[in-house]
Amino acid sequence: MNAYDASRMADVLEVGRNWQVVADPEQADLIIFNTCHIREKAGEKLFSELGRLHKGLRGRPVRFAVGGCVGQAEGAAIFRRAPFVDLVFGPQNYHRLPLFLERLSRGEQRICATDPATESKFDVLPMVRSHGVVASVTIQEGCDRFCAYCVVPTTRGREWSRGVEEVLAEVTDLASQGVVEITLLGQNVNAYQGADRHGRTHDLAALIRRVAQVEGVKRLRFVTSHPADMTDALVEVFAQVPQLCPYLHLPIQSGSDRVLTRMGRGHTVAEYLAWVGKLRRAVPDMALASDFIVGFPGESDADFQQTLDLVEQVGFAHAYSFKFSPRPGTSAATLPQHIPEEVSAKRLEFLQARLDAEQLAGNQRQVGRVVQLLVEGVSKRREGEVTGRTADFRRVNIPGPAAWIGRMLQVEITEGMPHSLKGRPIT
């Protein structure tokens, strides 16, 4: 979502506004930080990078802007910690960047735009521009789940969904630019409830069926899902729509029902495993990914062991794991029984080792298989190689020319490594 928002900021400034993205801050007249507020470390990194860049520019006049979720959450407090920042704005206001910059050029100082805009940003933004053969389209924002640790309802707001025709128009435009793989985005994407021009409401499964009919779309994905909003219709669409890739990021956060209850997740481990079973009966090769939080207040050794047991039982293709980070304004920030830092760190290290071992074993099991690879770009590590992803989202590097970018190739996997695969094209 942040990557999508950053690209849309560039669109709104470049299309008709004559701004251009530059690779080096030394060449910039405007530096925008698009930020995340999920964990405390991200916020601290913002101020560290702001100070480093400001110092490195040695007094050269550059405007600094802070957008995204830290901008929304911290607001004018950012000016106190970084007084050289000119503009702070939230994720629902970035379409107004040209207006804010015009106000700054007229002499206004320290603009803070965190109040919701009266208009939808998607009604104002220019048509999206592709930057490759893979692209994302936001279909839903916000969340009504209010998990105890999460700031999304505060920084992104309550759930709302874009209209079906609006989504289809953006997908069609991207496909006309050569995009062949689309990822549908949302903070809680499977809570999507959008209306078509006839007023008929589509859930995510129905929308996927519509998007799959757009000419040129060869692959579809969606992220991120909440287990409590899974539906049988969504399981069926995996088996029935060939463009929908056999990969699902379905965060559970903990393998302990006791911890899930304290987190306010609204589902049990048994319910999660039931969806895993349905998905793998529908698509036997379904690759699953997840998120985990360790050290949540009150998490016991037994709770943590249940998380390790779940990892072994499900066999995730990959997963993201973090130490609990208390966020201001969330109910978890005031919960008693905080876990000592050294205990959380040790648990995280142990879990990540287990997840890495699972991922390596899964990648090694791919050796000898013939898979379909979408070539996305040239390899950053080796000359003469290109890179892409399989349908189940595994990264594969193969020898080949840049002219293959955008092509679907049959590839035999020759080596499985911790975070990627090697292969050789056979067509």
Side-chain angles (χ1 to χ4, degrees):
M1 183 71 79
N2 285 348
Y4 175 87
D5 285 350
S7 70
R8 301 303 277 135
M9 291 178 201
D11 288 346
V12 77
L13 290 174
E14 289 183 347
V15 176
R17 305 289 177 172
N18 297 322
W19 289 80
Q20 292 183 340
V21 174
V22 294
D24 186 351
E26 293 283 349
Q27 301 173 322
D29 300 298
L30 169 68
I31 297 174
I32 303 173
F33 283 84
N34 186 32
T35 59
C36 175
H37 196 54
I38 291 292
R39 285 173 294 280
E40 184 178 11
K41 183 178 179 181
E44 292 306 313
K45 184 178 179 181
L46 162 69
F47 291 105
S48 173
E49 287 295 296
L50 275 169
R52 183 185 65 82
L53 272 180
H54 183 252
K55 182 179 179 180
L57 292 171
R58 295 180 292 276
R60 190 170 68 81
V62 176
R63 295 207 181 278
F64 282 86
V66 175
C69 291
V70 173
Q72 183 68 36
E74 300 290 339
I78 291 173
F79 297 133
R80 292 193 289 273
R81 291 190 62 177
F84 52 86
V85 169
D86 301 283
L87 168 64
V88 172
F89 59 97
Q92 305 306 336
N93 282 294
Y94 64 73
H95 61 290
R96 303 173 72 190
L97 269 171
L99 172 63
F100 299 147
L101 295 174
E102 183 179 336
R103 287 165 55 186
L104 289 171
S105 69
R106 294 199 300 262
E108 193 171 344
Q109 296 181 343
R110 294 184 179 176
I111 297 173
C112 181
T114 54
D115 291 333
T118 56
E119 72 283 353
S120 167
K121 61 189 175 188
F122 293 105
D123 292 338
V124 179
L125 291 170
M127 287 300 284
V128 67
R129 296 177 303 155
S130 73
H131 300 279
V133 298
V134 176
S136 298
V137 174
T138 291
I139 66 168
Q140 182 271 343
E141 286 195 9
C143 187
D144 291 349
R145 283 288 166 187
F146 290 92
C147 297
Y149 53 83
C150 186
V151 294
V152 165
T154 302
T155 58
R156 288 279 183 171
R158 304 296 294 270
E159 289 175 359
W160 67 273
S161 301
R162 294 178 72 186
V164 173
E165 265 68 38
E166 190 178 344
V167 172
L168 292 175
E170 188 165 323
V171 171
T172 301
D173 189 61
L174 286 166
S176 72
Q177 298 176 55
V179 171
V180 297
E181 178 178 306
I182 298 288
T183 298
L184 304 177
L185 295 178
Q187 265 82 38
N188 185 13
V189 72
N190 51 347
Y192 176 83
Q193 294 286 315
D196 67 9
R197 62 175 176 269
H198 303 294
R200 294 177 300 218
T201 299
H202 287 51
D203 62 8
L204 178 59
L207 180 69
I208 287 170
R209 294 181 189 277
R210 296 285 301 275
V211 173
Q213 296 172 12
V214 174
E215 185 177 357
V217 175
K218 298 179 181 179
R219 280 185 176 177
L220 275 172
R221 307 183 190 275
F222 60 89
V223 69
T224 289
S225 297
H226 195 294
D229 288 305
M230 284 293 295
T231 64
D232 288 326
L234 202 51
V235 174
E236 290 172 4
V237 82
F238 274 105
Q240 296 172 357
V241 176
Q243 292 94 329
L244 186 58
C245 293
Y247 169 87
L248 179 62
H249 183 228
L250 191 63
I252 187 169
Q253 308 298 356
S254 173
S256 163
D257 281 339
R258 194 177 73 87
V259 174
L260 290 176
T261 298
R262 288 172 67 84
M263 288 179 169
R265 290 288 288 167
H267 64 85
T268 65
V269 172
E271 289 167 341
Y272 183 89
L273 291 174
W275 286 116
V276 170
K278 288 183 177 183
L279 287 162
R280 285 182 168 159
R281 284 192 294 274
V283 183
D285 290 333
M286 175 71 71
L288 291 170
S290 190
D291 293 350
F292 292 96
I293 295 172
V294 302
F296 191 80
E299 181 189 61
S300 66
D301 289 341
D303 293 325
F304 179 64
Q305 182 59 51
Q306 290 172 8
T307 295
L308 297 177
D309 293 343
L310 177 78
V311 168
E312 184 175 354
Q313 183 174 357
V314 175
F316 294 102
H318 73 265
Y320 305 99
S321 53
F322 310 94
K323 290 183 293 185
F324 169 69
S325 177
R327 310 309 295 128
T330 63
S331 60
T334 59
L335 284 176
Q337 298 178 280
H338 273 249
I339 307 301
E341 169 66 22
E342 61 272 17
V343 174
S344 293
K346 186 175 180 180
R347 287 177 182 172
L348 181 63
E349 182 181 5
F350 200 91
L351 174 61
Q352 289 182 336
R354 181 71 60 87
L355 291 168
D356 287 345
E358 288 273 359
Q359 183 170 319
L360 174 59
N363 285 347
Q364 289 175 338
R365 286 194 294 270
Q366 305 303 307
V367 174
R369 292 186 61 190
V370 174
V371 300
Q372 189 176 60
L373 182 72
L374 171 60
V375 181
E376 299 178 11
V378 296
S379 173
K380 296 179 179 179
R381 294 190 175 185
R382 295 180 183 85
E383 288 190 18
E385 280 191 351
V386 290
T387 185
R389 290 193 187 272
T390 61
D392 61 1
F393 208 61
R394 299 178 198 271
R395 172 69 65 185
V396 183
N397 297 299
I398 62 171
W404 285 357
I405 294 173
R407 291 179 60 181
M408 292 278 198
L409 302 177
Q410 295 293 106
V411 170
E412 180 184 4
I413 302 303
T414 58
E415 186 177 352
M417 297 172 293
H419 303 291
S420 64
L421 307 169
K422 286 186 179 180
R424 64 177 185 89
I426 60 174
T427 59

